[in-house]
Amino acid sequence: MKRILSKGVIVQGLSHRYGDFESLRGVSLELVPGRVHCLVGASGSGKSTLLRNIAGLERPTAGSIHIDGQVVSNRNIQILPEQRNVGYLFQDFALFPHLSVARNIAFGLKSLSREQRRGRVTQLLQQVGLLEYEKAMPHRLSGGQQQRVALARALAPRPSVMLLDEPFSGLDTALRREVSEITLRLLRESETPTLMVTHDPMEALNCGDQISAMDHGEITQTDSPNEIYQRAIDAETARIFGPINELPVTKQGQQWHCQIGQIQPDWELYLREQSILIRPEMLRIEPAAGDAGQGQITRLNREVGGFLATVVTSCGGELFIRCGNEHSFDVGQHVRIRFVANAGT
Amino acid sequence: MVALPIAEILLYVGQPSDGTWEHLRETVLFRYVSNTVILALGVALATLLIGVGCAWLVTMCDFPCKGVLRWALLLPLAIPPYLMAYALTDLLQYSGPVQTYLREYFQWTKQDYWFPEIRSLPGAITILTLSLYPYVYLAARTAFVTQSLCVIEASRTLGAGAWATFFRVALPLARPAIAAGCTLVMMETVAEFGAVDYCAVDTLSTGIYRTWMSRGSLEAAAQLSTCLLMGVVVLVAIETGARRQAHYFHTTQRYRDMEPWKLGRLGGAGVSVICCLPLLLGFVVPASIFIGMTLEHGDRRAWELMFELASNSLTVALISACLVCLLALMCVYAVRVTGSKITRVSNYVTGLGYAIPGGVIAIGVVACLLRWETWVIDLCQYLWGWSPGLFLSGSMVALLLGYQTRFLAIGLNLVQSGFARIPPSMDNVGSTLGATPLQRLLRIHFPLVRGSLLAALLFVFVEVIKELPATLILRPFNFETLAVRVYQLASDERLPEASTSALIIILVGLAPVVILSRLIDRSRPGLS
């Protein structure tokens, strides 16, 4: 049977209120089949509200939502959640505790014969690697297994869009990687447009094909993981993805300068209005003799493959700098600071 | 000690009853049992339909009068079944206002029309349903309110509409709680005497009275009670099983405020009418009948006696309710701390009391106290040559022991479900921080189960105010309560006069019922 591919989801100018609180302000977004779109932002920035609006669990105050080329929500139309054909993976999985694994997965399957339904359930159980748990009750499963059952249940009716609400936050680190790999592989294979909410920026950078950063109900930037990490639109957005150095800049003739020195032409893409935004790994430190150098290390945090050093510069500013294991540093040591050679990579 | 009266009844089972038991078995036993079963099942089914239906509509939909109905649907709890029987029989019997009006309006005579007989088995089912559905409503509503909304939303995103979600998710999830509520209703039904007797239906409960009162055979009465007890054991087993299952049915810690489904104007009006009906028939109609009667022929003596009667009823109810809470707290906590089998079994036996008719419990209490008194009297006679008289069975001790035996089950049920919500890790944290079991009870468990304790206090308070047979038999000489006064007047066919005391019973029961309803609304997890 030839599958009709989903045409994706288009959200335009969506606004929503909880009483007096404006939880979404004119949000626009496009989800493409087979691609995973991640939403990141602080708690209360409106990520889950956007998901709930797309699912039809909330009613927007303005804007429109198209799923599969059909309007499901605008000023005049509000299609019920059960008629939207969306898959929703809840943070706590929300498995039906009174139904077995197989019956949980079969819950959303309609207009199929008993045999077809069985076939689909078996196929999904196989895909998520839980074939032997077909008859088990949800409370007998571990967190990771419950998550996979919830995924299989959401995928079973072949939804036009998949909405994931912090789907891996309940799992421990080791499980998280394994389960997220299975989940994203299945979603990409099934060509389902996916919107995933996460509060973990690393998860977004690893899982997403596109990332939108949200703040106070607005999308501040939508870009590829690399773009949004390296060239965030402002310091606030940049900070979501980890430490960032915001250095004031001055223009002398045709050249830009900051406290570390002159900024090369190929670095100008990191320039914002009166400053340059650079990640810790774009700077290097080297030991300086005696009290010489541009700064002094005040803190060293161990990371995989090196350290994150906090350096107070001679101008009084604080810089975050990532360094490998090639030099050994100590707190209180004086260092020289320089830009790494290749920018934008 | 509370279980002793029940054990006392069981002691009589093995004793010969001079052929009364054989006579009963050959003649009326089948009728008693079949009527009891039909009555219990009929009431259970009808209360399920009304209780669960109203609870779902009130929790999930938005319609006119919803705010009032939410708590008002509990109001029939304030009317004891025997008062409901008096009121509805008065309204619907041949000489009542409804039939009289029909006859006058259509110029009918007795032969011209058919009218359902209220003094019949279906009549008794109707009366008990109207007065007991709040138990199921309460259980179902609490279950729906505390249900994780995520599961409901998951069902909707998987394509199930409002009705499908109700039948496929919400109802199965609430099943343990509803089963527990339904068991309570069945226990009340099999133990009910006043209303069933007034409707002239022969059940095990009325049979026990007749055997004891008219045949004077305590042994045969105890043997009949044992039949009843066996049924109750089954019911309690169902209830316990339901509770065990409920543990697995609570899988989430995340809750979200619900967005009620808005109904159209016509749908909203329809739902309002449906939800108003049980309230109207179960509370407004009987209360209005008593108000009307009181205004017309009120019991002059009742107003004079009111202060004394009401203070007697209130005092006994309050003391019993406090005792029940204290005992329930001790029993449940003892099981939690020691996990001992003896404590568990004694709690189980105590829990049976609720389904035993008040009169049977009274027999047990009297027999049990008499045994102790005889020992003490013999001892006093032997030592000092003086007898203290019936210092226990003729005093308030007997009455209070009777109430404890009958109502401790309610306390145990509610307090147990309160404790079940406290994870064992709380106890562990308390003990690793150096708290003794008593300190843990006072500083950790008590604040957490306060709500359940208050609910138990209010429930038992209302039940004691309404309780009739045990009060009638066990009360000390010249000690009258509101329920006793109503019964005495009504059994003398002086219903209009009884209406005043009936009205006071209803009024006294109202406040706790309203507070109870508020408690449930605040019981939603995550709500401060």
Side-chain angles (χ1 to χ4, degrees), chain B residues 322-446:
Chain B
C322 290
L323 271 176
V324 162
C325 286
L326 194 68
L327 283 175
L329 191 65
M330 279 163 46
C331 292
V332 176
Y333 191 61
V335 171
R336 191 173 173 102
V337 172
T338 64
S340 93
K341 271 202 173 136
I342 300 175
T343 334
R344 208 170 287 224
V345 170
S346 84
N347 280 3
Y348 180 76
V349 174
T350 317
L352 296 179
Y354 189 57
I356 304 176
V360 178
I361 289 204
I363 304 172
V365 168
V366 170
C368 175
L369 291 181
L370 274 176
R371 197 184 291 264
W372 297 342
E373 278 170 343
T374 322
W375 287 339
V376 176
I377 289 169
D378 286 350
L379 191 70
C380 289
Q381 287 275 7
Y382 176 75
L383 290 176
W384 302 294
W386 160 83
S387 158
L390 298 176
F391 63 98
L392 286 177
S393 56
S395 72
M396 287 294 276
V397 175
L399 192 60
L400 290 177
L401 181 60
Y403 287 149
Q404 296 307 305
T405 312
R406 176 120 163 78
F407 297 125
L408 189 58
I410 301 181
L412 283 175
N413 265 338
L414 287 165
V415 175
Q416 245 161 16
S417 54
F419 267 93
R421 283 200 289 268
I422 307 174
S425 55
M426 295 272 175
D427 299 58
N428 299 342
V429 169
S431 54
T432 51
L433 290 172
T436 62
L438 182 66
Q439 285 171 331
R440 294 204 297 270
L441 175 67
L442 295 178
R443 294 176 60 193
I444 302 172
H445 297 98
F446 182 73

Side-chain angles (χ1 to χ4, degrees), chain A residues 200-227:
Chain A
D200 179 354
M202 283 307 125
E203 194 170 79
L205 292 171
N206 288 325
C207 300
D209 298 308
Q210 282 287 90
I211 296 177
S212 289
M214 280 195 83
D215 187 33
H216 291 96
E218 284 175 314
I219 290 187
T220 51
Q221 186 175 0
T222 299
D223 251 317
S224 69
N226 207 28
E227 278 293 309

